[in-house]
Coordinates of all heavy atoms in Angstrom, one line a residue:
M11 N 0.8 -1.1 0.0 CA 0.0 0.0 0.0 C 0.9 1.3 0.0 O 1.8 1.4 0.8 CB -0.8 -0.1 1.2 CG -2.0 1.0 1.2 SD -3.1 0.8 2.6 CE -4.0 -0.7 2.5
I12 N 0.6 2.2 -0.9 CA 1.5 3.3 -1.1 C 1.1 4.3 0.2 O -0.1 4.7 0.2 CB 1.3 4.1 -2.5 CG1 1.5 3.1 -3.5 CG2 2.0 5.4 -2.4 CD1 1.1 3.5 -4.9
P13 N 2.0 4.8 0.9 CA 1.7 5.9 2.0 C 1.2 7.1 1.4 O 1.8 7.5 0.4 CB 3.0 5.9 2.8 CG 4.0 5.5 1.8 CD 3.4 4.5 0.8
M14 N 0.1 7.6 2.0 CA -0.4 8.9 1.5 C 0.5 10.0 2.0 O 0.9 10.0 3.2 CB -1.6 9.2 2.0 CG -2.8 8.3 1.3 SD -3.0 8.5 -0.4 CE -3.8 10.2 -0.4
P15 N 0.9 11.1 1.2 CA 1.7 12.1 1.8 C 0.8 12.9 2.7 O -0.4 13.2 2.6 CB 2.0 13.0 0.4 CG 1.0 12.6 -0.5 CD 0.6 11.1 -0.2
R16 N 1.5 13.5 3.7 CA 0.8 14.4 4.7 C 1.1 15.8 4.6 O 2.3 16.1 3.9 CB 1.5 13.9 6.1 CG 1.1 12.5 6.6 CD -0.4 12.1 6.5 NE -1.1 12.9 7.4 CZ -2.5 13.1 7.3 NH1 -3.0 12.8 6.3 NH2 -3.1 13.9 8.3
P17 N 0.4 16.7 4.9 CA 0.7 18.1 4.6 C 1.9 18.5 5.4 O 2.2 18.0 6.5 CB -0.5 18.8 5.1 CG -1.6 17.8 5.5 CD -0.9 16.5 5.5
I18 N 2.7 19.3 4.8 CA 3.7 20.0 5.5 C 3.2 21.0 6.5 O 2.4 21.9 6.1 CB 4.8 20.6 4.5 CG1 5.3 19.6 3.5 CG2 6.0 21.5 5.3 CD1 5.9 20.2 2.4
F19 N 3.6 21.0 7.7 CA 3.0 21.7 8.9 C 4.0 22.8 9.2 O 5.3 22.7 9.5 CB 2.8 20.9 10.0 CG 1.9 21.6 11.1 CD1 0.6 22.1 10.9 CD2 2.6 21.8 12.3 CE1 -0.1 22.7 11.8 CE2 1.9 22.4 13.3 CZ 0.6 22.9 13.1
Q20 N 3.5 24.2 9.0 CA 4.3 25.3 9.5 C 3.4 26.1 10.3 O 2.3 26.4 10.1 CB 4.7 26.1 8.2 CG 5.8 25.5 7.4 CD 6.0 26.3 6.2 OE1 5.6 27.3 6.2 NE2 6.8 25.7 5.3
K21 N 3.9 26.6 11.5 CA 3.3 27.4 12.4 C 3.2 28.9 11.6 O 4.3 29.2 11.3 CB 4.0 27.5 13.7 CG 3.1 28.3 14.8 CD 3.5 28.0 16.2 CE 2.6 28.7 17.1 NZ 1.3 28.3 17.0
Y22 N 2.1 29.4 11.7 CA 1.8 30.8 11.1 C 2.4 31.8 12.1 O 2.0 31.8 13.2 CB 0.4 31.0 10.7 CG 0.2 32.4 10.1 CD1 0.8 32.7 8.9 CD2 -0.5 33.3 10.8 CE1 0.6 33.9 8.3 CE2 -0.8 34.7 10.2 CZ -0.2 34.9 9.1 OH -0.4 36.2 8.5
V23 N 3.2 32.7 11.6 CA 3.7 33.7 12.4 C 3.3 35.1 11.6 O 3.7 35.3 10.6 CB 5.1 33.8 12.6 CG1 5.7 35.0 13.3 CG2 5.6 32.5 13.2
A24 N 2.4 35.8 12.2 CA 1.8 37.0 11.5 C 2.9 38.0 11.4 O 3.7 38.3 12.4 CB 0.6 37.5 12.3
P25 N 3.0 38.7 10.3 CA 4.0 39.7 10.0 C 3.6 41.0 11.1 O 2.4 41.2 11.4 CB 3.8 40.2 8.7 CG 3.1 39.0 8.0 CD 2.3 38.3 9.0
I26 N 4.6 41.6 11.5 CA 4.4 42.7 12.4 C 4.1 44.0 11.6 O 3.2 44.9 12.0 CB 5.7 42.9 13.4 CG1 5.7 41.7 14.2 CG2 5.5 44.2 14.2 CD1 7.0 41.6 15.0
R27 N 4.8 44.3 10.5 CA 4.7 45.5 9.8 C 3.8 45.2 8.5 O 3.9 44.0 7.9 CB 6.0 46.0 9.3 CG 7.0 46.2 10.4 CD 8.3 46.7 9.9 NE 8.8 45.7 8.9 CZ 9.9 45.9 8.2 NH1 10.6 46.9 8.3 NH2 10.4 44.9 7.3
A28 N 3.0 46.1 8.1 CA 2.1 45.9 6.9 C 2.9 45.6 5.7 O 2.5 44.7 4.9 CB 1.3 47.3 6.8
E29 N 4.0 46.0 5.6 CA 4.9 45.8 4.4 C 5.5 44.4 4.3 O 5.9 43.9 3.2 CB 5.9 46.8 4.1 CG 6.9 46.9 5.3 CD 6.6 48.1 6.2 OE1 5.3 48.4 6.5 OE2 7.4 48.9 6.8
D30 N 5.4 43.6 5.4 CA 5.8 42.4 5.4 C 4.8 41.4 5.0 O 5.1 40.2 4.9 CB 6.4 42.0 6.8 CG 7.7 42.7 7.2 OD1 8.4 43.1 6.3 OD2 7.8 42.9 8.5
Y31 N 3.6 41.8 5.0 CA 2.5 40.9 4.4 C 2.8 40.4 3.0 O 3.2 41.3 2.1 CB 1.2 41.4 4.6 CG 0.6 41.2 5.9 CD1 0.8 42.2 7.0 CD2 -0.2 40.2 6.3 CE1 0.4 42.1 8.2 CE2 -0.7 40.0 7.6 CZ -0.4 41.1 8.5 OH -0.9 41.0 9.8
P32 N 2.7 39.2 2.7 CA 3.0 38.6 1.3 C 2.0 39.1 0.3 O 0.8 39.2 0.6 CB 3.0 37.2 1.4 CG 2.0 36.9 2.6 CD 2.3 38.0 3.5
I33 N 2.3 39.3 -0.9 CA 1.4 39.5 -1.9 C 1.1 38.2 -2.6 O 1.9 37.5 -3.0 CB 2.1 40.5 -3.0 CG1 2.3 41.8 -2.4 CG2 1.1 40.6 -4.1 CD1 3.2 42.7 -3.3
G34 N -0.2 37.9 -2.5 CA -0.6 36.5 -3.0 C -0.8 35.6 -1.8 O -1.0 36.0 -0.7
T35 N -0.6 34.4 -2.0 CA -0.8 33.3 -0.9 C 0.3 33.4 0.1 O 1.4 33.9 -0.2 CB -0.8 31.9 -1.5 OG1 0.4 31.6 -2.1 CG2 -2.0 31.7 -2.6
V36 N 0.0 33.0 1.3 CA 0.9 32.9 2.3 C 1.8 31.7 2.5 O 2.7 31.6 3.2 CB 0.3 33.2 3.7 CG1 -0.4 34.6 3.8 CG2 -0.9 32.2 4.0
A37 N 1.4 30.7 1.6 CA 2.2 29.4 1.8 C 2.1 28.7 0.4 O 1.1 28.9 -0.3 CB 1.7 28.6 2.8
E38 N 2.9 27.7 0.2 CA 2.9 26.9 -1.0 C 1.8 25.9 -0.9 O 1.5 25.6 0.2 CB 4.2 26.3 -1.3 CG 5.3 27.3 -1.6 CD 6.7 26.5 -1.7 OE1 6.6 25.2 -1.7 OE2 7.6 27.3 -1.5
S39 N 1.5 25.3 -2.0 CA 0.5 24.3 -2.0 C 1.2 23.1 -1.2 O 2.3 22.8 -1.3 CB 0.2 23.8 -3.5 OG -0.6 22.7 -3.4
G40 N 0.1 22.5 -0.4 CA 0.6 21.4 0.3 C 1.0 21.7 1.7 O 1.4 20.8 2.5
V41 N 1.1 22.9 2.1 CA 1.6 23.7 3.3 C 0.4 24.0 4.1 O -0.4 24.8 3.5 CB 2.6 24.7 3.1 CG1 2.9 25.3 4.5 CG2 3.8 24.1 2.5
L42 N 0.2 23.6 5.4 CA -0.8 24.0 6.2 C -0.1 24.9 7.3 O 1.0 24.5 7.8 CB -1.6 22.8 6.8 CG -2.4 22.2 5.9 CD1 -3.0 20.9 6.7 CD2 -3.4 23.0 5.4
L43 N -0.7 26.0 7.5 CA 0.0 27.0 8.5 C -0.4 26.8 10.0 O 0.1 27.5 10.9 CB -0.3 28.5 8.0 CG 0.4 28.8 6.7 CD1 0.1 30.2 6.3 CD2 1.9 28.7 6.8
S44 N -1.4 26.2 10.2 CA -1.8 25.8 11.6 C -2.5 24.5 11.7 O -3.1 24.0 10.7 CB -2.5 27.0 12.2 OG -3.8 27.0 11.5
G45 N -2.5 24.0 12.9 CA -3.2 22.9 13.2 C -4.8 23.2 13.3 O -5.0 24.5 13.4
S46 N -5.6 22.2 13.3 CA -7.0 22.6 13.6 C -7.7 22.1 14.6 O -8.9 22.0 14.7 CB -7.7 22.3 12.1 OG -7.5 20.8 11.9
A47 N -6.8 21.7 15.6 CA -7.4 21.0 16.7 C -7.3 21.6 18.1 O -7.5 21.0 19.1 CB -6.8 19.5 16.8
D48 N -6.9 22.9 18.1 CA -6.9 23.6 19.4 C -8.0 23.6 20.4 O -7.8 23.6 21.6 CB -6.4 25.0 19.2 CG -5.0 25.1 18.5 OD1 -4.3 24.0 18.4 OD2 -4.5 26.1 18.2
W49 N -9.1 23.5 19.8 CA -10.3 23.5 20.6 C -11.1 22.2 20.8 O -12.1 22.2 21.4 CB -11.4 24.5 19.9 CG -11.4 24.3 18.4 CD1 -10.7 25.0 17.6 CD2 -12.3 23.5 17.8 NE1 -11.3 24.6 16.3 CE2 -12.1 23.6 16.5 CE3 -13.2 22.4 18.3 CZ2 -12.8 22.8 15.5 CZ3 -13.9 21.7 17.2 CH2 -13.7 22.0 15.9
R50 N -10.4 21.1 20.4 CA -10.9 19.8 20.6 C -11.2 19.4 22.0 O -10.3 19.6 22.8 CB -9.9 18.9 19.9 CG -10.5 17.4 19.9 CD -9.6 16.5 19.2 NE -8.3 16.3 19.8 CZ -7.0 16.2 19.4 NH1 -6.9 16.3 18.0 NH2 -6.0 16.3 20.2
R51 N -12.3 19.0 22.4 CA -12.5 18.4 23.7 C -12.5 16.9 23.9 O -12.4 16.4 24.9 CB -14.0 18.8 24.1 CG -14.0 20.5 24.1 CD -15.4 20.9 24.6 NE -15.6 20.5 26.0 CZ -16.8 20.7 26.5 NH1 -17.8 21.1 26.0 NH2 -16.9 20.4 27.8
E52 N -12.6 16.1 22.7 CA -12.6 14.8 22.7 C -11.7 14.3 21.6 O -11.6 15.0 20.6 CB -14.0 14.0 22.6 CG -14.8 14.1 23.9 CD -16.1 13.3 23.6 OE1 -16.8 13.3 22.6 OE2 -16.4 12.6 24.6
R53 N -11.1 13.1 21.8 CA -10.3 12.6 20.6 C -10.6 11.1 20.5 O -10.9 10.4 21.5 CB -8.8 13.0 20.9 CG -8.3 12.3 22.1 CD -6.9 12.6 22.4 NE -6.4 12.4 23.8 CZ -6.3 11.1 24.2 NH1 -6.3 10.1 23.4 NH2 -5.9 11.0 25.4
P54 N -10.4 10.7 19.3 CA -10.6 9.2 19.1 C -9.4 8.3 19.5 O -8.3 8.8 19.5 CB -10.8 9.0 17.7 CG -10.1 10.2 17.0 CD -10.2 11.3 18.1
V55 N -9.6 7.2 20.3 CA -8.7 6.3 20.7 C -8.8 5.0 19.9 O -9.9 4.5 19.9 CB -8.6 6.1 22.2 CG1 -7.6 5.1 22.5 CG2 -8.4 7.4 23.0
F56 N -7.7 4.7 19.1 CA -7.9 3.5 18.4 C -7.4 2.2 19.0 O -6.4 2.3 19.6 CB -7.1 3.7 17.1 CG -7.6 4.8 16.0 CD1 -7.4 6.1 16.3 CD2 -8.3 4.4 15.0 CE1 -7.8 7.1 15.5 CE2 -8.8 5.4 14.2 CZ -8.5 6.7 14.4
N57 N -8.2 1.1 18.9 CA -7.8 -0.1 19.4 C -7.2 -0.9 18.4 O -8.0 -1.6 17.4 CB -9.0 -0.8 20.1 CG -8.5 -2.2 20.8 OD1 -7.6 -2.8 20.5 ND2 -9.3 -2.5 21.9
A58 N -6.0 -1.1 18.3 CA -5.2 -1.9 17.1 C -5.7 -3.4 17.1 O -5.7 -3.9 16.1 CB -3.8 -1.6 17.2
D59 N -6.0 -3.9 18.2 CA -6.3 -5.3 18.4 C -7.7 -5.6 17.7 O -7.8 -6.7 17.1 CB -6.4 -5.7 19.8 CG -5.0 -5.7 20.5 OD1 -4.0 -5.9 19.6 OD2 -5.0 -5.5 21.7
L60 N -8.6 -4.6 17.7 CA -9.9 -4.7 17.1 C -10.0 -4.3 15.7 O -10.8 -4.7 14.9 CB -10.9 -4.0 17.9 CG -11.2 -4.4 19.4 CD1 -12.2 -3.6 20.0 CD2 -11.7 -5.8 19.3
C61 N -9.0 -3.4 15.2 CA -9.1 -2.9 13.9 C -8.7 -4.0 12.8 O -7.7 -4.6 13.0 CB -8.1 -1.7 13.8 SG -7.9 -1.0 12.2
T62 N -9.6 -4.0 11.8 CA -9.1 -4.9 10.8 C -8.5 -4.1 9.6 O -8.4 -4.7 8.6 CB -10.6 -5.6 10.2 OG1 -11.4 -4.6 9.8 CG2 -11.2 -6.5 11.3
G63 N -8.4 -2.8 9.7 CA -7.9 -2.1 8.6 C -8.9 -1.8 7.5 O -8.5 -1.7 6.2
C64 N -10.1 -1.9 7.7 CA -11.1 -1.7 6.6 C -11.1 -0.2 6.1 O -11.8 0.0 4.9 CB -12.6 -2.1 7.1 SG -13.2 -0.8 8.2
L65 N -10.6 0.6 6.7 CA -10.4 2.1 6.3 C -11.7 2.8 6.2 O -11.8 3.9 5.5 CB -9.6 2.0 4.8 CG -8.3 1.5 4.8 CD1 -7.7 1.7 3.5 CD2 -7.4 2.3 5.8
K66 N -12.8 2.3 6.8 CA -14.0 3.0 6.9 C -13.9 4.4 7.6 O -14.3 5.5 7.2 CB -15.1 2.2 7.5 CG -16.5 2.8 7.0 CD -17.6 1.8 7.4 CE -18.9 2.3 7.0 NZ -20.0 1.8 7.7
C67 N -13.1 4.4 8.6 CA -12.9 5.6 9.4 C -12.0 6.6 8.5 O -12.2 7.8 8.5 CB -12.3 5.4 10.6 SG -10.6 4.3 10.6
Y68 N -11.1 6.0 7.9 CA -10.2 6.9 7.0 C -10.9 7.6 5.9 O -10.7 8.7 5.6 CB -9.1 5.8 6.4 CG -8.2 6.4 5.3 CD1 -7.0 7.1 5.6 CD2 -8.7 6.2 4.0 CE1 -6.3 7.5 4.6 CE2 -7.8 6.7 3.0 CZ -6.7 7.4 3.3 OH -5.9 7.8 2.2
L69 N -11.9 6.9 5.4 CA -12.8 7.5 4.4 C -13.7 8.5 4.8 O -14.2 9.4 4.1 CB -13.5 6.4 3.5 CG -12.5 5.5 2.7 CD1 -13.3 4.2 2.2 CD2 -11.9 6.2 1.6
A70 N -14.2 8.2 6.0 CA -15.3 9.1 6.7 C -14.7 10.4 7.3 O -15.5 11.4 7.4 CB -16.1 8.2 7.6
C71 N -13.6 10.4 7.7 CA -13.1 11.6 8.5 C -13.1 12.7 7.5 O -12.4 12.8 6.6 CB -11.5 11.2 8.9 SG -10.8 12.7 9.8
P72 N -13.7 13.9 7.9 CA -13.8 15.0 7.2 C -12.6 15.8 7.1 O -12.4 16.8 6.4 CB -15.0 15.7 7.8 CG -15.0 15.3 9.1 CD -14.5 13.9 9.2
D73 N -11.7 15.6 8.0 CA -10.4 16.3 8.2 C -9.1 15.6 7.7 O -7.9 16.2 8.0 CB -10.4 16.9 9.6 CG -11.5 17.9 9.9 OD1 -11.4 18.9 9.3 OD2 -12.2 17.4 10.7
G74 N -9.1 14.4 7.3 CA -7.9 13.8 6.8 C -7.1 13.5 8.1 O -5.9 13.3 7.9
A75 N -7.6 13.3 9.2 CA -6.9 13.1 10.3 C -6.5 11.6 10.7 O -5.8 11.2 11.5 CB -7.7 13.7 11.7
V76 N -7.3 10.7 9.9 CA -7.0 9.3 10.1 C -5.9 9.0 9.0 O -6.1 9.3 7.8 CB -8.2 8.5 9.8 CG1 -7.9 7.0 10.0 CG2 -9.3 8.7 10.9
V77 N -4.8 8.3 9.4 CA -3.7 8.0 8.6 C -3.5 6.6 8.5 O -3.5 5.8 9.5 CB -2.5 8.8 9.2 CG1 -1.3 8.5 8.0 CG2 -2.7 10.3 9.3
R78 N -3.3 6.1 7.2 CA -3.0 4.6 7.1 C -1.6 4.5 7.4 O -0.6 5.2 7.2 CB -3.3 4.3 5.7 CG -4.5 4.2 5.2 CD -4.7 3.7 3.8 NE -4.1 4.7 2.8 CZ -4.1 4.4 1.5 NH1 -4.7 3.2 1.0 NH2 -3.5 5.3 0.7
E79 N -1.4 3.4 8.3 CA 0.0 3.0 8.7 C -0.1 1.4 8.6 O -0.5 0.7 9.5 CB 0.2 3.5 10.1 CG 1.6 3.4 10.5 CD 1.8 4.0 11.8 OE1 1.8 3.3 12.9 OE2 2.3 5.2 11.9
G80 N 0.7 0.9 7.6 CA 0.6 -0.4 7.3 C -0.8 -0.9 7.0 O -1.5 -0.2 6.2
K81 N -1.3 -1.9 7.7 CA -2.6 -2.4 7.6 C -3.7 -1.7 8.7 O -4.8 -2.2 8.6 CB -2.7 -3.9 7.6 CG -1.9 -4.5 6.3 CD -2.1 -6.0 6.3 CE -1.4 -6.5 5.1 NZ -1.4 -7.8 5.1
K82 N -3.1 -0.9 9.4 CA -4.0 -0.4 10.5 C -3.9 1.1 10.1 O -3.5 1.7 9.2 CB -3.3 -0.5 11.8 CG -2.9 -2.0 12.1 CD -4.3 -2.8 12.5 CE -3.9 -4.2 12.8 NZ -5.0 -4.9 13.5
V83 N -4.7 1.9 11.1 CA -4.7 3.3 11.0 C -4.4 4.0 12.3 O -4.4 3.4 13.4 CB -6.3 3.8 10.7 CG1 -6.8 3.3 9.4 CG2 -7.1 3.1 11.8
V84 N -3.9 5.2 12.3 CA -3.5 6.0 13.4 C -4.0 7.4 13.3 O -4.5 7.6 12.2 CB -1.9 6.1 13.6 CG1 -1.3 4.7 13.9 CG2 -1.2 6.7 12.3
L85 N -3.9 8.2 14.3 CA -4.6 9.4 14.3 C -3.4 10.5 14.1 O -2.4 10.5 14.8 CB -5.2 9.6 15.5 CG -5.9 11.0 15.8 CD1 -7.2 11.1 14.9 CD2 -6.3 11.2 17.3
D86 N -3.8 11.4 13.4 CA -2.9 12.6 13.1 C -3.6 13.8 14.0 O -4.6 14.4 13.5 CB -2.7 13.1 11.8 CG -1.7 14.2 11.7 OD1 -1.5 15.0 12.6 OD2 -1.1 14.4 10.5
E87 N -3.1 13.9 15.2 CA -3.9 14.7 16.3 C -3.8 16.2 15.8 O -4.6 17.0 16.4 CB -3.1 14.6 17.6 CG -3.5 13.1 18.2 CD -3.4 13.1 19.8 OE1 -3.3 14.2 20.3 OE2 -3.4 12.2 20.3
R88 N -2.9 16.5 15.0 CA -2.9 18.0 14.6 C -4.1 18.5 13.9 O -4.5 19.6 14.0 CB -1.6 18.3 13.7 CG -0.4 17.9 14.3 CD 0.9 18.0 13.3 NE 0.5 17.1 12.2 CZ 1.3 17.0 11.1 NH1 2.3 17.8 10.9 NH2 0.8 16.2 10.0
F89 N -4.8 17.5 13.3 CA -5.9 17.9 12.5 C -7.3 17.4 12.8 O -8.3 17.6 12.2 CB -5.7 17.6 10.9 CG -4.4 18.0 10.4 CD1 -3.4 17.2 10.0 CD2 -4.0 19.5 10.4 CE1 -2.1 17.8 9.7 CE2 -2.8 20.0 10.0 CZ -1.9 19.1 9.6
C90 N -7.2 16.6 13.9 CA -8.5 15.9 14.4 C -9.4 16.9 15.1 O -8.7 17.6 16.1 CB -8.2 14.7 15.2 SG -9.6 14.0 16.1
K91 N -10.5 17.1 14.9 CA -11.3 18.1 15.5 C -12.2 17.5 16.7 O -13.1 18.1 17.3 CB -12.3 19.0 14.6 CG -11.5 19.8 13.6 CD -12.3 20.6 12.7 CE -11.6 21.5 11.8 NZ -11.0 20.8 10.7
G92 N -12.2 16.2 16.7 CA -12.9 15.4 17.7 C -14.4 15.3 17.4 O -15.2 15.2 18.4
C93 N -14.8 15.4 16.3 CA -16.3 15.1 15.9 C -16.9 13.8 16.1 O -18.0 13.8 16.4 CB -16.3 15.5 14.3 SG -15.7 14.2 13.1
G94 N -16.0 12.7 16.1 CA -16.6 11.4 16.5 C -17.1 10.7 15.3 O -17.6 9.5 15.5
I95 N -17.0 11.2 14.2 CA -17.7 10.4 13.0 C -17.0 9.2 12.9 O -17.5 8.1 12.7 CB -17.5 11.4 11.7 CG1 -18.5 12.5 11.8 CG2 -17.8 10.5 10.5 CD1 -18.2 13.4 10.5
C96 N -15.7 9.2 12.9 CA -15.0 7.9 12.9 C -15.3 6.8 13.8 O -15.5 5.7 13.3 CB -13.3 8.0 13.0 SG -12.9 8.8 14.6
A97 N -15.6 7.3 15.1 CA -16.1 6.1 16.0 C -17.4 5.8 15.8 O -17.8 4.5 15.9 CB -16.1 6.9 17.4
V98 N -18.4 6.6 15.2 CA -19.7 6.1 14.8 C -19.5 5.0 13.6 O -20.3 4.1 13.5 CB -20.5 7.3 14.4 CG1 -21.8 6.8 13.8 CG2 -20.8 8.2 15.7
E99 N -18.7 5.3 12.7 CA -18.6 4.7 11.5 C -17.8 3.2 11.6 O -18.1 2.3 10.9 CB -17.8 5.4 10.4 CG -18.5 6.6 9.9 CD -19.8 6.2 9.1 OE1 -19.7 5.1 8.5 OE2 -20.8 6.8 9.1
C100 N -17.1 3.0 12.7 CA -16.4 1.9 13.0 C -17.3 0.8 13.6 O -17.7 0.9 14.8 CB -15.2 2.1 13.8 SG -14.3 0.5 14.1
R101 N -17.7 -0.1 12.7 CA -18.6 -1.1 13.2 C -18.0 -2.0 14.2 O -18.8 -2.8 14.9 CB -19.1 -2.0 11.8 CG -20.0 -1.2 11.0 CD -20.6 -2.2 9.9 NE -21.1 -1.4 8.9 CZ -21.2 -1.8 7.7 NH1 -20.7 -2.9 7.3 NH2 -21.8 -1.0 6.7
L102 N -16.7 -2.2 14.2 CA -16.1 -3.1 15.1 C -15.9 -2.4 16.5 O -15.3 -3.1 17.4 CB -14.8 -3.6 14.5 CG -15.0 -4.4 13.2 CD1 -13.6 -4.8 12.7 CD2 -15.9 -5.6 13.4
K103 N -16.3 -1.2 16.7 CA -16.0 -0.5 17.9 C -14.5 -0.4 18.3 O -14.2 -0.6 19.4 CB -16.7 -1.1 19.0 CG -18.3 -1.3 18.8 CD -18.9 0.1 18.7 CE -20.3 0.0 18.4 NZ -21.0 1.3 17.9
A104 N -13.7 -0.3 17.3 CA -12.3 -0.2 17.6 C -11.9 1.2 17.8 O -10.6 1.5 18.0 CB -11.5 -0.7 16.2
I105 N -12.8 2.2 17.8 CA -12.5 3.5 18.1 C -13.5 3.9 19.1 O -14.7 3.8 19.2 CB -12.7 4.4 16.9 CG1 -11.9 3.9 15.7 CG2 -12.3 5.9 17.2 CD1 -12.2 4.7 14.4
R106 N -12.9 4.6 20.2 CA -13.8 5.1 21.3 C -13.3 6.5 21.5 O -12.1 6.9 21.3 CB -13.6 4.4 22.6 CG -12.3 4.6 23.2 CD -12.3 3.9 24.7 NE -10.9 4.0 25.3 CZ -10.6 5.0 26.1 NH1 -11.4 5.9 26.3 NH2 -9.3 5.0 26.5
M107 N -14.3 7.4 21.8 CA -13.9 8.8 22.0 C -13.6 9.0 23.4 O -14.3 8.6 24.5 CB -15.2 9.7 21.7 CG -15.6 9.7 20.2 SD -14.1 10.1 19.1 CE -14.0 11.8 19.4
A108 N -12.5 9.7 23.8 CA -12.1 9.8 25.1 C -11.9 11.4 25.3 O -11.6 12.1 24.3 CB -10.7 9.2 25.3
A109 N -12.0 11.8 26.5 CA -11.9 13.2 27.0 C -10.4 13.6 26.6 O -9.5 12.8 26.7 CB -12.1 13.4 28.4
E110 N -10.3 14.8 26.1 CA -9.0 15.3 25.6 C -7.9 15.2 26.7 O -6.8 14.8 26.3 CB -9.1 16.7 25.3 CG -7.9 17.3 24.6 CD -7.5 16.6 23.3 OE1 -8.2 16.1 22.7 OE2 -6.2 16.7 23.0
R111 N -8.3 15.3 27.9 CA -7.3 15.3 29.0 C -7.1 13.9 29.5 O -6.4 13.7 30.6 CB -7.5 16.3 30.1 CG -7.4 17.6 29.5 CD -7.7 18.7 30.6 NE -7.5 20.1 30.0 CZ -7.9 21.1 30.6 NH1 -8.3 21.1 31.8 NH2 -7.8 22.3 30.1
E112 N -7.8 12.9 29.0 CA -7.8 11.5 29.6 C -6.4 11.0 29.6 O -5.7 11.1 28.4 CB -8.8 10.7 28.9 CG -8.8 9.2 29.6 CD -9.9 8.5 28.8 OE1 -11.1 8.9 28.8 OE2 -9.7 7.4 28.4
Ligands
LIG27 S1 -13.3 1.7 10.8 FE1 -12.5 0.7 12.6 S2 -11.9 -1.3 11.8 FE2 -12.0 0.0 10.0 S3 -9.9 0.8 9.8 FE3 -11.2 2.2 11.1 S4 -10.7 1.6 13.2 FE4 -10.1 0.0 11.9
LIG28 S1 -12.9 12.6 15.5 FE1 -13.6 13.4 13.5 S2 -11.8 14.7 12.8 FE2 -11.1 13.2 14.4 S3 -10.3 11.5 13.3 FE3 -12.4 11.1 13.9 S4 -13.6 11.7 12.0 FE4 -11.6 12.6 11.9

């Protein structure tokens, strides 16, 4: 299975002076300037023993936060918003939602 490329992650630092703002886009294609999970209250926890690698959660995740790793899946926490769709979609209950600080 060919590994899917992940976005290049760069922290956005706002220019201080108006003249330092770029003309055009602030980053190249494939670069994300910030994570999207700062306000997440819950996160999915994957049980690798129950996971069959069906990839349903991978396909259902609206944020591309489920990543294929070999025949299993793992979470890219930087982009998971904690919506819980993956846990609902997993028929084998291999994903449970846990409090962010658990
Ligand atoms: S939906 Fe469940 S069984 Fe399928 S890949 Fe995701 S965690 Fe594994
Ligand atoms: S909780 Fe939502 S955003 Fe996070 S991995 Fe699951 S489906 Fe994707």
Side-chain angles (χ1 to χ4, degrees):
M11 193 178 289
I12 301 169
M14 290 293 289
R16 302 299 297 157
I18 298 164
F19 185 66
Q20 288 176 9
K21 189 159 181 62
Y22 177 67
V23 180
I26 295 172
R27 302 176 309 171
E29 56 265 38
D30 292 335
Y31 277 87
I33 298 170
T35 60
V36 294
E38 296 173 15
S39 174
V41 173
L42 292 176
L43 292 179
S44 66
S46 53
D48 291 349
W49 42 267
R50 186 179 61 217
R51 298 183 65 190
E52 287 189 315
R53 62 183 163 77
V55 177
F56 293 79
N57 183 334
D59 293 334
L60 295 178
C61 175
T62 59
C64 73
L65 297 183
K66 202 169 178 197
C67 56
Y68 169 86
L69 294 171
C71 175
D73 293 294
V76 179
V77 183
R78 290 184 294 179
E79 193 174 89
K81 294 185 177 177
K82 305 284 179 167
V83 291
V84 294
L85 181 68
D86 187 335
E87 293 208 6
R88 299 171 303 172
F89 307 116
C90 169
K91 296 186 180 73
C93 66
I95 292 173
C96 56
V98 171
E99 290 296 322
C100 180
R101 290 188 190 151
L102 298 176
K103 304 294 179 202
I105 307 171
R106 71 177 174 90
M107 298 303 290
E110 184 62 24
R111 293 183 184 169
E112 185 177 306

